[in-house]
Amino acid sequence: MYSEIPQGKKIDIQGLICNLPPEGYVWNNITKKLEYRGVYQRSEIKEEQYWERMPLPGWYKETMKRWDSYEKNKKDDAEEFYDEELEEYKKQEWDRRLNGFWFRSNGEAVYLVGSHYMYLQWWQIDIGYPKYRLPDLEYFYFLQYCIEDPNCMGMLEITKRRFGKTYRGGLFVTDYPTRTKMANGGIQSKTGGDAKKVFSKAVISPFKRLPRFFRPEYDMSLGVNPKTEMRFQKTNVRGKKAEDSVDKDELGSIIDHQSADTVAYDGQKLHRYVADECGKTTEVNVYDRHEVVRYCLLDDEGKIIGKALYTTTVEKLTTEKDGVQDAFKLLWEESNQEKRQENGTTSSGLYRFFMSAKRTRNFDDFGYPDEDKTLVQILADRETVKNNPRALSARVRKEPLTIDEAFSTDSDKCIFNVMNIGSREQALKENPILKRKYRHLALIFSFYFA
């Protein structure tokens, strides 16, 4: 996404110029070459071409049974299980996970980056497997650009509630450590308890449902469902068996979660970091916390080696601590990719991404949202509480159409009608009023230079 690809296509996603490979081709991250893979399609009929999760091969379950039986009965010095069909299938899926995938939708060839393919094909969420949606396509393009850009520390996302942000974050923090040696992933949220929930539902649960060839061995001494961390190493044992496993190959990576405290990850090295609901912390200044985390993403020479994903909705905060909401807003303002510093980075090191609520409902079979229909529904919902400023303010923030609405003032903290104030502020931004003395100078200049 970051580097230009010969004969490729460019697409602007919220100020980032993303580079797509030519139709049917992928950039192989192993060979560092452009290679042809073709375009998959579920039907020859245009109207029946859309994303559909591909089922497991017919032979897969029986082969897995034979693999299980082999593992139970094999001796320590025995060779690894081998099946030719399985090896070809593993090779295909690893290629798609690492390099991306093309499929045809309504006659159009669509390129999925590897993590998006992984999300759709293998990352099971609370309602099953995710559906293909155009806003998600743009999200994964944007995120992949942030990962590949050597001057970027990651992505800051604002979206509406229940649009999959936590599960996408779970994949982000899991993908890299489960395929890279000695890589650390970390999670924080608005509280330590919330981070524990994210770890359980968005990391552990989907990970356990991955096919075996995507699940590296992890330390089972913490249980099948670890609560605090997942260590990708041989299970801890004692005695002679412990000595026998010392030289065995393992990833050595870790994924854990910490409290919301500012210095929870201070001094640690992070290759992937997720800050879930970073705009709703009640006791922690998220800007100060980011100042700690950003150094966890650097090596000893100041080179960016880790990437962060900050994701949130922005709603009313129940807190008596001053400056908490302002801290997140400052982080957003300093993450503007269109205002990078001389060294090529933003002030925060992050790039920001906003998803309007009108693009989050009423999807057709091809993943396109009906924005007009959704806008009518959202405005009709607001109309029902137009005489209740507090309720109206809450609904606007839960489903913001613009970034200004996402950061709109809480009505119960203001004695005036905050919706009217917000409308007036927006009108003044679009049509600024010159002060009288400047209008006077303008008249003088127009008189002399007419």
Side-chain angles (χ1 to χ4, degrees), residues 19-292:
N19 294 278
L20 279 63
E23 183 175 320
Y25 285 81
V26 300
W27 178 260
N28 191 322
N29 288 291
I30 305 298
T31 65
K32 305 301 180 185
K33 294 180 180 179
L34 201 60
E35 298 176 358
Y36 187 72
R37 296 289 186 269
V39 181
Y40 169 83
Q41 59 186 39
R42 68 178 298 277
S43 172
E44 295 288 341
I45 302 171
K46 178 182 176 183
E47 291 73 18
E48 295 179 1
Q49 295 171 349
Y50 49 80
W51 170 263
E52 182 179 53
R53 182 176 179 269
M54 286 158 279
L56 292 168
W59 50 261
Y60 186 82
K61 288 185 178 180
E62 187 61 34
T63 302
M64 289 299 103
K65 289 180 181 179
R66 290 195 293 110
W67 192 354
D68 286 337
S69 177
Y70 181 85
E71 289 293 323
K72 289 178 181 178
N73 299 305
K74 81 170 185 177
K75 297 181 179 180
D76 291 339
D77 57 348
E79 294 182 356
E80 293 297 322
F81 177 81
Y82 179 84
D83 179 90
E84 190 169 345
E85 283 184 309
L86 178 60
E87 289 304 310
E88 285 300 313
Y89 187 63
K90 287 164 59 176
K91 182 180 178 181
Q92 169 190 284
E93 293 306 300
W94 269 104
D95 177 71
R96 293 173 178 179
R97 175 179 176 178
L98 295 175
N99 303 319
F101 176 74
W102 284 91
F103 78 100
R104 202 167 297 281
S105 178
N106 198 26
E108 178 185 357
V110 178
Y111 174 68
L112 304 176
V113 297
S115 56
H116 194 184
Y117 174 81
M118 184 77 171
Y119 182 66
L120 293 171
Q121 179 68 18
W122 296 114
W123 202 247
Q124 190 168 337
I125 63 177
D126 55 348
I127 57 172
Y129 289 97
K131 297 178 180 179
Y132 168 78
R133 302 178 296 192
L134 181 66
D136 283 345
L137 181 73
E138 297 174 0
Y139 167 95
F140 278 102
Y141 282 173
F142 191 99
L143 179 58
Q144 188 63 32
Y145 185 104
C146 293
I147 292 172
E148 295 178 11
D149 186 346
N151 294 316
C152 178
M153 290 183 170
M155 173 177 173
L156 171 55
E157 173 200 20
I158 293 179
T159 186
K160 63 162 282 186
R161 298 180 67 187
R162 297 187 177 91
F163 196 57
K165 60 182 177 56
T166 300
Y167 284 101
R168 292 193 299 266
L171 173 61
F172 171 80
V173 78
T174 306
D175 178 40
Y176 189 75
T178 55
R179 57 181 172 85
T180 310
K181 286 192 172 185
M182 306 305 293
N184 301 325
I187 301 170
Q188 286 184 292
S189 188
K190 58 182 183 290
T191 67
D194 288 304
K196 183 178 180 179
K197 291 177 183 177
V198 172
F199 180 73
S200 176
K201 80 170 187 177
V203 173
I204 299 299
S205 181
F207 173 83
K208 288 171 55 183
R209 291 174 171 82
L210 290 175
R212 183 179 299 180
F213 53 80
F214 279 158
R215 291 197 319 260
E217 184 171 7
Y218 65 99
D219 187 353
M220 300 288 286
S221 66
L222 299 174
V224 179
N225 299 297
K227 305 298 182 184
T228 57
E229 65 180 10
M230 180 174 278
R231 298 193 294 254
F232 297 101
Q233 61 188 40
K234 300 288 182 180
T235 299
N236 285 329
V237 293
R238 297 179 179 179
K240 185 177 180 181
K241 288 186 177 180
E243 295 179 5
D244 294 339
S245 64
V246 169
D247 295 328
K248 290 186 177 181
D249 193 30
E250 57 189 15
L251 283 179
S253 299
I254 295 176
I255 302 173
D256 72 357
H257 62 87
Q258 296 288 347
S259 71
D261 192 75
T262 302
V263 296
Y265 278 110
D266 187 28
Q268 299 188 42
K269 185 180 291 185
L270 291 172
H271 297 89
R272 291 294 184 267
Y273 168 79
V274 167
D276 186 64
E277 296 296 9
C278 57
K280 295 162 69 176
T281 55
T282 57
E283 296 298 321
V284 176
N285 183 308
V286 72
Y287 187 92
D288 291 343
R289 192 171 73 182
H290 175 65
E291 285 299 300
V292 173

Side-chain angles (χ1 to χ4, degrees), residues 322-422:
D322 293 335
V324 171
Q325 185 80 68
D326 292 337
F328 173 70
K329 190 172 183 181
L330 178 60
L331 186 64
W332 175 265
E333 291 171 350
E334 293 194 356
S335 302
N336 187 348
Q337 53 268 21
E338 297 183 359
K339 294 182 179 179
R340 302 181 212 187
Q341 309 300 312
E342 291 183 4
N343 62 357
T345 70
T346 63
S347 297
S348 69
L350 307 170
Y351 297 157
R352 65 192 196 184
F353 181 91
F354 172 71
M355 181 56 62
S356 173
K358 69 180 180 179
R359 306 190 69 217
T360 60
R361 291 193 211 164
N362 299 306
F363 293 94
D364 64 18
D365 291 339
F366 310 108
Y368 282 82
D370 188 333
E371 296 186 29
D372 293 335
K373 181 178 180 180
T374 303
L375 180 60
V376 169
Q377 292 173 343
I378 291 174
L379 295 180
D381 180 58
R382 294 179 183 182
E383 183 69 16
T384 63
V385 290
K386 66 179 181 180
N387 296 321
N388 185 338
R390 179 178 296 182
L392 179 57
S393 175
R395 296 192 188 187
V396 166
R397 289 172 67 112
K398 278 180 168 51
E399 290 195 296
L401 299 173
T402 66
I403 193 62
D404 287 330
E405 287 189 350
F407 285 111
S408 59
T409 307
D410 291 326
S411 62
D412 58 351
K413 295 181 180 179
C414 182
I415 62 173
F416 302 106
N417 188 314
V418 295
M419 300 307 298
N420 290 343
I421 293 174

